[in-house]
């Protein structure tokens, strides 16, 4: 079952780091006020770019480890579906975040 989650977790990591990369370019070009997500804006205000970057890496590790734990337990089918939902949501969030950052980079 762990092999089943390798590609989704890898895809999630790529999507999240796409979001991180476009975020870093966006705030370098347009400043931290270009960030529309209030949670990320609060992270930036309180911890700066290094703190926001560490939080993103921690989030990727948390989602990946959650998916691994859910698929490594007994009664795997329902837990594997839940792991898929968690990873799928993180993939969508990363792609949407990266896309909106890229649009902001090109439009401001």
């Amino acid at each position: 079952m762990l092999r089943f989650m390798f590609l989704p977790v890898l895809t999630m990591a790529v999507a999240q780091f796409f979001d991180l990369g476009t975020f870093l370019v966006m705030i370098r070009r347009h400043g931290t006020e270009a960030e529309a997500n209030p949670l990320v804006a609060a992270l930036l205000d309180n911890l700066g770019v290094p703190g926001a970057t560490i939080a993103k890496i921690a989030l990727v590790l948390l989602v990946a480890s959650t998916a691994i734990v859910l698929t490594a337990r007994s009664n795997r089918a329902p837990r594997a579906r839940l792991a898929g939902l968690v990873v799928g949501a993180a993939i969508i969030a990363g792609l949407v975040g990266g896309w909106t950052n890229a649009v902001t980079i090109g439009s401001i």
Side-chain angles (χ1 to χ4, degrees):
M1 210 43 128
L2 292 176
R3 283 184 282 153
F4 167 74
M5 289 306 297
F6 176 76
L7 188 57
V9 167
L10 179 63
T11 303
M12 180 270 304
V14 169
Q16 288 294 318
F17 290 119
F18 165 63
D19 181 27
L20 177 62
T22 57
F23 162 76
L24 293 172
V25 171
M26 178 186 70
I27 62 169
R28 187 175 334 126
R29 289 189 184 171
H30 303 293
T32 58
E33 58 278 347
E35 178 55 50
N37 183 330
L39 294 174
V40 177
L43 270 172
L44 279 171
D45 288 342
N46 293 315
L47 303 174
V49 174
T53 302
I54 290 169
K56 173 65 83 173
I57 293 167
L59 176 67
V60 169
L61 292 174
L62 176 67
V63 171
S65 61
T66 299
I68 290 167
V69 167
L70 285 171
T71 57
R73 306 261 180 180
S74 60
N75 194 13
R76 292 182 195 161
R79 292 176 185 225
R81 285 191 290 274
L82 180 58
L85 284 171
V86 169
V87 172
I91 291 169
I92 292 168
L95 292 175
V96 169
W99 179 75
T100 58
N101 291 340
V103 167
T104 301
I105 290 167
S107 67
I108 293 180

